[in-house]
Structure formats: C-alpha cells, structure tokens
Amino acid sequence: MRRIDDSLSVSPQIGPADVTEIARAGFTTIINNRPDGEETDQPEGDAIRTAAETLGLDYAEIPVTSAGFSHAQVNAMRAALDGAKGPVFAYCRSGTRSTNLWALAEAKAGGDPDTIVAKARAAGYDLTAIRPMLDALAGAR
C-alpha cells in the first residue's frame, strides 16, 4: 500500500481476505480500478465488494482498461472520493491506474497540478505521461 495523502492510499491487486486489514487501517471506501478478467488468477470484484460491504465499507468499481481514461471515469472517481466518509483505498494491478485516475479527478476539481504530481511522486508514481491532461483539466475550471 502506498499513501498518496490523508484521504487516499493505493495498492496493487487485493483479495477478499485483505479487506479486513483495510477496514482495520481505518479506510471507509474501497475503489476497484481494475476490470474483471484482466488476468486469469485475479480475484473477482464482486468477491471484494461482498467482503467490503460485510465489514461496512463502501465499494466503487471504476475499471480502467488499456483504452485509457474517459471523462466518465474521472467523474466517477471524483464522485467516489467526494462521497467517501473517510480515507479511501484504491487498487488496480499495480496502483498506477488508481493514482492516475485520482490525479485526473483532483485536477478536474481544481487541484494544483504541481501539488498532485508531487504527491504521486512521493508515493513512487510518475505522472509525466498525463501531465498535459492534468494541466488541461485544472485550467478548464
């Protein structure tokens, strides 16, 4: 798990058994940014959803494929982040898509691209490839 800031941490793929520790760590929402079936041995999102909801956590599924990011996905991420009752835990295959989608949602909400890039870099993620999109989204407000 890598902490982006007080409101978000990201990680590679989790399984249903990991949800208990995520809840114990104080997270209130899990966001799944990985499409089902990306790899044959990956846990299904519904199994993680069931574990999360059993423990009282909110769960959102915003899958990102190799096709890239859409405005609908950015808006869904923003809505999930804004609706969270506490810290959010997002995952995908490596944590990169979750970080990128968070960054785009932050920029669209008026976040400063330099601050967004710095937070991601501190967690070990490079946003160079999406920096022009961050600047465009932040400037569109």
Side-chain angles (χ1 to χ4, degrees):
M1 176 176 65
R2 296 182 187 186
R3 184 179 171 278
I4 302 295
D5 62 17
D6 290 341
S7 65
L8 178 76
S9 292
V10 301
S11 86
Q13 179 68 53
I14 62 169
D18 299 314
V19 175
T20 299
E21 283 305 312
I22 291 167
R24 282 189 189 138
F27 293 96
T28 63
T29 301
I30 294 176
I31 300 175
N32 174 1
N33 296 126
R34 191 168 191 201
D36 280 341
E38 194 171 60
E39 292 179 0
T40 57
D41 63 342
Q42 119 190 26
E44 292 290 317
D46 282 344
I48 296 167
R49 174 193 302 274
T50 299
E53 290 174 351
T54 298
L55 293 170
L57 301 178
D58 291 329
Y59 177 92
E61 191 171 302
I62 311 166
V64 176
T65 66
S66 60
F69 303 95
S70 70
H71 282 286
Q73 290 165 319
V74 173
N75 292 339
M77 186 69 160
R78 183 76 262 148
L81 294 167
D82 289 344
K85 300 174 197 94
V88 173
F89 184 95
Y91 74 92
C92 58
R93 188 185 61 76
S94 67
T96 300
R97 283 176 278 186
S98 295
T99 301
N100 288 347
L101 191 54
W102 160 82
L104 294 167
E106 287 292 298
K108 190 167 185 179
D112 172 56
D114 290 334
T115 302
I116 294 167
V117 167
K119 286 181 179 183
R121 184 181 309 116
Y125 294 100
D126 180 5
L127 300 182
T128 302
I130 65 165
R131 179 60 194 252
M133 288 188 287
L134 297 175
D135 291 335
L137 286 170
R141 284 189 54 82

